Amino acid sequence: MTLATRHAAFADLHQAGCFVLPNPWDAGSARMMAAAGARALATSSAAHAFTLGRPDMGGVSRDEALAHADAIVAATPLPVSGDFENGFADDPEGVAETVRLAGEVGLSGCSIEDTQMVEGSPAYAADQAVERIRAAVAAARALGRPFVLCARADGVMNGSHDLAEGIRRLQAFEAAGADVLYLPVPPGRAELKAVLSAVSKPVNALAAGPLRDLTVAELAAMGVRRISTGSQIARVTHAVIRDAMMAMLGAGSFAPLKQAASGDEIDALLRAGAGQA
């Protein structure tokens, strides 16, 4: 699949229905997700930071994130979107440059948050947040090909503003031209419904917090267009490492290792995910 075909396919996925957008953290996890039937992938800033032994929220530089995205794009034939936190810049011009660079590495889209990468993760002022998205949209359109720009209002998740303010921001991001709108981890089903009813552009839901209790079918019936996993799959993997090491070094038990997949199965998934026969 050519990059142009991938970009068109990713844009088309947002036109109808609902799809799962899993978030790999390296070439191997990307290929396993592709082999399992994923139709597109997205990087995760937190999961990537974990691979570098760093915490989430500002733990990765723009150059590192771009190099990581480039590796994920090369790993499978699937379209890839980039999780680029605050665009690695406070000013709109810096955010626009990040989007331009995202296009250069072959990404089919990216997300930009309204969160400052400083202690406490405060949100940008509303007007500044909108100007940043407006600049990102302009840069995406200047690429001259499909590029899905997702605008995030993270204040509810980070505790910097309430749901009403988050919805106001999403509406302003929609008016600024964002293709997808995203308010991570609303408190529950009712709050997600409020988000969905407040905007007309496709909405991304994160399979985290209370939304993990809902199925793909239930989220789709509510009107969610895409469902991302963020760092959740990486965190499940890290939980396995934690529990296995505690069993081995604490109780002296190797029982958790009995759950391991066979090398042959993993090899087959990696070949399939790379598009190999």
Side-chain angles (χ1 to χ4, degrees):
M1 185 183 293
T2 67
L3 278 177
T5 304
R6 294 197 224 185
H7 302 328
F10 191 58
D12 288 346
L13 283 172
H14 294 80
Q15 299 309 304
C18 179
F19 69 100
V20 175
L21 184 68
N23 300 76
W25 53 91
D26 60 13
S29 58
R31 289 180 177 176
M32 292 190 72
M33 292 172 184
R39 301 168 70 185
L41 303 171
T43 65
S44 161
S45 60
H48 178 208
F50 297 162
T51 69
L52 301 174
R54 302 174 193 168
D56 188 19
M57 300 299 287
V60 175
S61 70
R62 179 165 69 181
D63 286 347
E64 288 173 323
L66 288 165
H68 173 66
D70 184 50
I72 300 299
V73 169
T76 81
L78 298 178
V80 180
S81 182
D83 173 2
F84 284 161
E85 297 184 310
N86 71 332
F88 306 103
D90 294 320
D91 58 287
E93 294 78 14
V95 175
E97 177 67 3
T98 294
V99 172
R100 184 187 69 78
L101 293 169
E104 285 188 357
V105 299
L107 288 171
S108 298
C110 75
S111 61
I112 301 294
E113 303 172 16
D114 65 346
T115 301
Q116 301 179 54
M117 295 297 133
V118 297
E119 185 69 27
S121 304
Y124 290 102
D127 289 348
Q128 184 180 7
V130 174
E131 286 305 312
R132 286 161 39 81
I133 294 303
R134 186 172 288 113
V137 169
R141 301 297 175 263
L143 294 173
R145 48 88 163 174
F147 188 92
V148 178
L149 195 289
C150 175
R152 296 176 50 151
D154 284 31
V156 173
M157 179 174 68
N158 296 332
S160 59
H161 56 65
D162 61 14
L163 182 69
E165 174 61 16
I167 288 175
R168 281 193 292 270
R169 289 182 178 228
L170 291 186
Q171 290 172 329
F173 296 160
E174 179 174 19
D179 301 301
V180 175
L181 304 166
Y182 182 12
L183 190 151
V185 199
R189 186 192 294 252
E191 291 81 2
L192 177 58
K193 285 183 176 179
V195 169
L196 289 162
S197 64
V199 297
S200 59
K201 291 286 185 68
V203 168
N204 182 100
L206 176 64
L211 299 189
R212 289 176 294 188
D213 294 326
L214 302 178
T215 66
V216 172
E218 289 172 323
L219 288 166
M222 292 172 64
V224 171
R225 189 60 54 82
R226 81 181 193 193
I227 307 165
S228 58
T229 60
S231 62
Q232 294 297 298
I233 301 176
R235 292 176 191 273
V236 169
T237 302
H238 281 71
V240 171
I241 296 172
R242 177 200 65 200
D243 295 345
M245 295 307 299
M246 289 179 65
M248 288 186 283
L249 303 180
S253 170
F254 296 99
L257 303 185
K258 295 179 181 179
Q259 301 177 46
S262 72
D264 288 344
E265 180 184 4
I266 294 174
D267 288 346
L269 288 170
L270 294 177
R271 285 193 294 270
Q276 299 172 1

